[in-house]
Amino acid sequence: MTLISTSLRFDYSYSKIWSWLSKNTNGIDDFSRLFFTIVGIFAVFWYTWMYIRSKNKGKPPSPPGPRGLPLVGSLPFLQPDLHSYFAELARTYGPVVKLQLGSKLGILVTSPSAAREVLKDQDIVFANRDVPVAGMLLTGGRDIVWNPYGPEWRMLRKVCVLKMLSNATLDKVYSLRRREVRETVGYMHSTAGSPVNVGEQMFLTILNVVTSMLWGGTVEGDARASLGAEFRHVISEVTEILGLPNISDFFPVLAPLDLQGLIKRIGKPVERLNGIVDKIIDQRLKAEREIGSTAGNFKDFLQFLLQLKDEEDSKTPMTMNHIKALLLDMVVGGSETSSNSIEFTLAEVINKPEVMRKAQQELEEVVGKDKIVEETHIHKLPYLLAIMKESLRLHPALPLLVPHSPSEDCSVGGYCIPKGCRVFVNAWAIHRDPSVWENPLEFNPDRFLNSKWDFSGSDFNYFPFGSGRRICAGMAMAERMVLYSIATLLHSFDWKVPEGMKLDLTEKFGIVLKLKNPLVAVPTPRLSNTALYE
Ligand code: HEM
């Protein structure tokens, strides 16, 4: 009986659907039409949901995060200072946060244990980059910074870390660092009593060191000075644009429209940078043709790289494009990072006169007031090292590192992290975590005296140079250059802000963190013998 009535009901329903679907609208009942539409939609959703559930069975959940708007996600809510905005989101949602940025998924990592999972436990999985459109324009993604993890990246990194920026090579080119730092001291002495734009001076110093290491023999005299000023302009333009959220990255289909005009804006400085590097390489090749190769005696990195290219005996040969990309990495990656760090350090020290006194006292004991600082002194200056560490804790040059990207689906902090997303490890926020650091916002170098923290990236409470395979390739050079410069500036001068001006330590986010308002300070010579400033 039940079977017959069920079958009759089914036949009845079936014929209703059929009459509706076949548009046989004779006597259509609006109610059943609506009913079957809803049931149909519900069935589709239900099957889809069951399918996704069965596929995701056993998979960890997605990280929590703000809901965002349809299509654009959280893009309209991004704030200019991404590092502090991301830290705020972490306070609301936890150490692993999901942030939908247009069609791209961003993952924010803001705890030492989650950072360890990304940079150590799953180092290889996360060793890729999500290359921004602007980064592609700069080097075609073929340099160390943007190259995916693989043989090409390994070859470039080996050349850079083991040959060009190794301690042994850096020792060989100390005279270049010394010459540039002494020149800066001489300039500051000649204008003593007047305000100095510290960041600008230190940028030129570092840039001259880096470029003399790279191609020192080629560009000399006035050309070198004007090249320095031009480089500063184009490099700060490039790093500024690299740090801006670009709609073309979040909606690749819209990339050709360049809606914010960022690609157009970065085009000019990139063209100029490429033009300068091309010209320098051409001049060198011409000189080698005319005078003959100087292979054998180490002259500079360009000579070394051209030699490597000619040898071409490895499986991953060095090409001219690689050489250009490496030179650009050194110039762009090495200059602003170091000079901004020196500027932040000096600003913090000026803000704390007792720290300046303590550092100068240490310098007097180790160097004396009748000699100049040499790089060999820096290993004997523990308080100065503590000052550098504390400055990089509060103001890490790359506050979100260079974003990493996983090569496969994986999990972090118990959450599912999909392949290809953009992972921001917020070193800046971790360095200010009150559960790790006492009075985290206070500049207090003492916390690093006799401490276990170093720059090796083995402790995930403190990693200003990153950690793991993608750790900074120029760490050895940065450490020497920043310490040597700070030691020399504090040994040679007393520093104060100009009368009537206030020291402003506000930061401005960019791929490289900077002071919002450049540090302008007045140096007063503190060594009695003027010969020590020549
Ligand atoms: C105070 C100065 C510096 C700081 C704080 C710093 C910090 C960093 C950080 C945090 C990263 C990213 C690590 C990651 O993604 O996990 C990085 C990458 C890099 N840095 Fe530095 N850096 C500095 C100076 C330099 C210098 C002087 C050079 C070269 C002359 C340099 C060359 C590079 C390169 C090539 C990479 C990319 C490494 C890769 O992707 O394999 N950096 N740096």
Side-chain angles (χ1 to χ4, degrees), residues 105-107 109 115 118-120 122-131 145-146 400-407 417-418 420-425 463 465-472:
L105 186 69
I107 299 289
V109 168
V118 170
L119 301 171
K120 185 168 184 213
Q122 305 183 72
D123 184 13
I124 295 186
V125 173
F126 282 94
N128 272 344
R129 303 286 194 203
D130 178 30
V131 190
V145 182
W146 302 118
L400 303 173
L401 310 186
V402 178
H404 289 239
S405 185
S407 53
I417 309 297
C421 62
R422 189 177 284 195
V423 180
F424 300 92
V425 180
F463 50 106
F465 290 95
S467 174
R469 281 174 169 72
R470 288 284 192 169
I471 196 169
C472 174

Side-chain angles (χ1 to χ4, degrees), residues 176-177 179-181 183-184 201-216 221 223-229 231 335 477 481:
L176 300 177
R177 292 191 289 284
R179 182 187 72 193
E180 296 304 334
V181 169
E183 202 157 299
T184 305
Q201 283 311 309
M202 292 323 295
F203 182 90
L204 287 174
T205 312
I206 307 280
L207 186 78
N208 283 342
V209 170
V210 173
T211 52
S212 356
M213 276 166 47
L214 295 178
W215 54 69
R224 202 162 135 269
S226 61
L227 198 63
F231 259 128
S335 44
M477 162 148 174
M481 205 53 224

Side-chain angles (χ1 to χ4, degrees), residues 364-390:
E364 267 165 49
E365 280 160 22
V366 175
V367 182
K369 274 182 120 175
D370 53 351
K371 290 201 185 76
I372 58 172
V373 176
E374 300 289 350
E375 209 174 68
T376 46
H377 289 123
I378 63 177
H379 308 290
K380 302 172 195 152
L381 299 163
Y383 190 65
L384 201 88
L385 179 61
I387 290 179
M388 176 182 171
K389 286 181 178 174
E390 177 66 339

Side-chain angles (χ1 to χ4, degrees), residues 107-386:
I107 299 289
L108 319 181
V109 168
T110 322
S111 77
S113 65
R116 168 189 288 271
E117 284 187 58
V118 170
L119 301 171
K120 185 168 184 213
D121 304 345
Q122 305 183 72
D123 184 13
I124 295 186
V125 173
F126 282 94
N128 272 344
R129 303 286 194 203
D130 178 30
V131 190
V133 181
M136 282 304 282
L137 209 68
L138 185 61
T139 57
R142 304 296 296 275
D143 61 333
I144 303 182
V145 182
W146 302 118
N147 224 304
Y149 177 63
E152 193 172 73
W153 170 80
R154 262 196 300 275
M155 180 274 285
L156 292 172
R157 177 122 191 158
K158 205 167 115 192
V159 169
C160 184
V161 177
L162 297 181
K163 303 277 181 195
M164 288 160 62
L165 299 175
S166 68
N167 275 318
T169 316
L170 288 172
D171 280 345
K172 274 193 212 162
V173 291
Y174 167 52
S175 60
L176 300 177
R177 292 191 289 284
R178 190 178 192 277
R179 182 187 72 193
E180 296 304 334
V181 169
R182 295 318 305 168
E183 202 157 299
T184 305
V185 167
Y187 167 78
M188 288 174 174
H189 185 253
S190 69
T191 60
S194 324
V196 169
N197 182 327
V198 176
E200 190 175 273
Q201 283 311 309
M202 292 323 295
F203 182 90
L204 287 174
T205 312
I206 307 280
L207 186 78
N208 283 342
V209 170
V210 173
T211 52
S212 356
M213 276 166 47
L214 295 178
W215 54 69
T218 309
V219 189
E220 274 157 8
D222 289 349
R224 202 162 135 269
S226 61
L227 198 63
E230 184 168 11
F231 259 128
R232 177 160 210 236
H233 175 69
V234 290
I235 291 173
S236 45
E237 183 81 347
V238 166
T239 55
E240 189 189 325
I241 296 170
L242 278 174
L244 293 173
N246 186 352
I247 291 176
S248 302
D249 287 330
F250 304 124
F251 294 102
V253 285
L254 298 180
L257 301 178
D258 184 23
L259 291 173
Q260 290 152 284
L262 293 179
I263 298 306
K264 188 166 171 236
R265 216 179 112 193
I266 204 176
K268 265 204 179 133
V270 162
E271 203 179 296
R272 190 63 200 120
L273 271 178
N274 279 320
I276 296 172
V277 171
D278 281 342
K279 195 168 152 202
I280 285 163
I281 296 177
D282 285 350
Q283 279 177 359
R284 176 61 58 87
L285 291 174
K286 192 166 162 241
E288 285 201 351
R289 275 195 303 273
E290 284 167 7
I291 310 164
S293 168
T294 48
N297 339 315
F298 178 83
K299 190 174 167 196
D300 51 36
F301 292 151
L302 178 55
Q303 179 213 19
F304 167 74
L305 291 171
L306 290 169
Q307 237 169 281
L308 266 189
K309 181 182 152 296
D310 290 340
E311 286 165 13
E312 272 196 18
D313 60 349
S314 83
K315 273 193 211 144
T316 318
M318 170 83 69
T319 64
M320 198 52 101
N321 280 343
H322 287 134
I323 295 183
K324 272 180 64 179
L326 267 177
L327 298 180
L328 285 172
D329 265 352
M330 301 293 103
V331 173
V332 178
S335 44
E336 251 198 336
T337 44
S338 307
S339 67
N340 289 5
S341 300
I342 295 170
E343 192 182 3
F344 269 120
T345 310
L346 196 63
E348 288 284 6
V349 170
I350 293 174
N351 200 35
K352 280 249 171 138
E354 70 275 18
V355 172
M356 190 178 323
R357 264 195 305 278
K358 228 170 137 178
Q360 288 174 333
Q361 195 181 330
E362 183 181 67
L363 283 159
E364 267 165 49
E365 280 160 22
V366 175
V367 182
K369 274 182 120 175
D370 53 351
K371 290 201 185 76
I372 58 172
V373 176
E374 300 289 350
E375 209 174 68
T376 46
H377 289 123
I378 63 177
H379 308 290
K380 302 172 195 152
L381 299 163
Y383 190 65
L384 201 88
L385 179 61

